[in-house]
């Protein structure tokens, strides 16, 4: 069988995307998804997404996301932004979108070449002596470090991801350094990829909220520099937590191809 695929990237976070509105692919084909994401024996990507038909009359489409290991995973922020750009490319939407992902409903808009993706509200941030933990659609461990550019993200990140209290379920791990004002830099170890990625959208969102929660910035618009480029997060702080959260950045089609199996 031969199927058309598209490759997208959002600040270096790259994805294989397939138009699955005709249910050509089974969501149980995890071995195939892992092979397609393999950088040596497949196309190569941090994850794979299926754009599927909406599940209700309010949505434009459904997002189904798989990690590079082939397993269906929690929300991917950069993936969501790329899927919105893909939906616009297909003509499914124009410049506004409503879709459902594994963590619920999302709204998005394309403006001036950037994708604005509304994330879920965050009502709880756990604060510890040396880190914070929060769920922005995916679980995130956030810790401040010095010398970020030289930091051993791969080994330290793997140890935290697999250690207490996360163990097998795991957590994404973000290492953060303040640049100035409301600007920060981050490097992220991602579970499912089991390595550092150039960018992580839910991680950038977690960093922005964590920096505000710890009073390292008082701004409700935070810039976060990833290894693959800069993203912006805007939000509103309320007495219940953080609401109206938007992850903002570019999403670009890299190429189109076909694969057979």
């Amino acid at each position: 069988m031969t199927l058309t695929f598209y490759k997208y990237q959002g600040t270096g976070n790259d994805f294989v995307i397939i138009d699955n509105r005709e249910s050509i692919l089974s969501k149980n084909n995890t071995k195939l998804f892992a092979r397609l994401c393999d950088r040596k024996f497949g196309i190569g990507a941090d994850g794979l997404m299926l754009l599927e038909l909406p599940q209700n009359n309010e949505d434009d489409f459904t997002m189904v996301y798989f990690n590079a290991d082939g397993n269906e995973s929690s929300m991917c922020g950069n993936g969501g932004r790329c899927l919105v750009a893909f939906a616009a490319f297909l003509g499914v939407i124009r410049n506004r979108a409503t879709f459902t992902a594994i963590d619920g409903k999302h709204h998005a808009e394309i403006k001036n070449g950037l994708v604005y993706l509304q994330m879920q509200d965050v009502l709880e941030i756990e604060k510890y002596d040396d880190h914070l933990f929060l769920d922005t659609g995916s679980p995130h461990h956030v810790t401040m470090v010095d010398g970020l550019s030289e930091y051993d993200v791969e080994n330290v990140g793997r140890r935290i991801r697999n250690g207490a209290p996360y163990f097998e379920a795991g957590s994404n791990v973000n290492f953060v350094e303040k640049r100035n004002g409301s600007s920060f830099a981050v490097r992220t170890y991602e579970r499912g990829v089991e390595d550092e990625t150039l960018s992580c959208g839910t991680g950038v969102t977690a960093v922005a909220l964590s920096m505000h929660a710890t009073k390292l910035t008082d701004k409700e618009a935070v810039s976060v520099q990833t290894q693959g480029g800069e993203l912006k997060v805007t939000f509103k702080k309320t007495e219940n937590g953080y609401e109206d959260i938007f992850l903002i950045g570019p999403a670009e089609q890299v190429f189109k191809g076909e694969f057979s199996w």
Side-chain angles (χ1 to χ4, degrees):
M1 183 174 179
T2 300
L3 191 65
T4 300
F5 71 89
Y6 296 81
K7 181 78 174 284
Y8 273 73
Q9 65 88 15
T11 54
N13 210 183
D14 59 341
F15 309 95
V16 172
I17 305 183
I18 297 165
D19 179 1
N20 201 40
R21 288 176 293 171
E22 296 182 2
S23 299
I24 297 171
L25 283 179
S26 166
K27 289 189 280 290
N28 296 323
N29 206 340
T30 57
K31 290 184 178 179
L32 174 63
F33 298 154
R35 182 160 67 89
L36 294 177
C37 290
D38 192 293
R39 297 191 185 278
K40 297 294 194 298
F41 300 100
I43 299 164
D46 292 327
L48 179 146
M49 286 180 289
L50 304 178
L51 185 145
E52 299 198 332
L53 290 172
Q55 300 171 351
N56 55 63
N57 294 329
E58 299 174 352
D59 289 355
D60 297 298
F61 57 88
T62 299
M63 171 183 175
V64 185
Y65 178 73
F66 299 86
N67 275 331
D69 60 9
N71 293 315
E72 190 169 0
S73 184
S74 48
M75 180 58 184
C76 176
N78 284 331
R81 294 190 309 97
C82 286
L83 199 63
V84 169
F86 180 57
F89 168 78
L90 293 179
V92 174
I93 64 166
R94 294 189 68 182
N95 59 354
R96 294 179 183 270
T98 299
F99 67 93
T100 296
I102 194 168
D103 65 336
K105 193 176 297 293
H106 291 265
H107 302 284
E109 186 174 5
I110 302 173
K111 294 190 294 186
N112 301 319
L114 300 177
V115 180
Y116 291 61
L117 175 65
Q118 187 171 26
M119 308 296 283
Q120 302 297 340
D121 294 347
V122 174
L123 306 181
E124 182 180 8
I125 298 179
E126 300 175 21
K127 298 178 182 178
Y128 301 93
D129 290 341
D130 61 351
H131 72 280
L132 298 92
F133 178 82
L134 63 161
D135 194 312
T136 54
S138 290
H140 282 277
H141 178 111
V142 179
T143 186
M144 300 295 295
V145 299
D146 294 320
L148 180 63
S149 62
E150 305 299 325
Y151 201 79
D152 188 1
V153 169
E154 182 178 356
N155 288 310
V156 178
R158 182 181 296 113
R159 185 168 65 249
I160 294 173
R161 174 259 187 267
N162 289 298
Y166 309 122
F167 298 117
E168 185 176 353
S171 175
N172 302 287
V173 185
N174 304 273
F175 303 94
V176 188
E177 189 171 56
K178 185 166 184 175
R179 300 170 74 192
N180 53 69
S182 59
S183 178
F184 299 84
V186 64
R187 294 174 63 188
T188 302
Y189 183 93
E190 282 200 56
R191 66 171 189 171
V193 179
E194 305 307 335
D195 202 350
E196 180 180 4
T197 56
L198 291 179
S199 179
C200 174
T202 55
V204 163
T205 304
V207 167
L209 300 183
S210 296
M211 297 304 97
H212 188 271
T214 53
K215 303 187 185 308
L216 287 174
T217 181
D218 59 359
K219 304 298 184 183
E220 294 186 343
V222 175
S223 296
V224 182
Q225 182 69 41
T226 72
Q227 297 284 85
E230 190 167 63
L231 291 165
K232 186 175 182 180
V233 181
T234 62
F235 50 85
K236 291 180 181 177
K237 177 69 173 74
T238 71
E239 59 183 20
N240 296 320
Y242 292 91
E243 301 175 356
D244 202 21
I245 304 165
F246 278 87
L247 174 66
I248 305 163
E252 300 176 347
Q253 186 178 132
V254 181
F255 60 83
K256 171 185 177 182
E258 293 182 338
F259 67 87
S260 301
W261 78 98

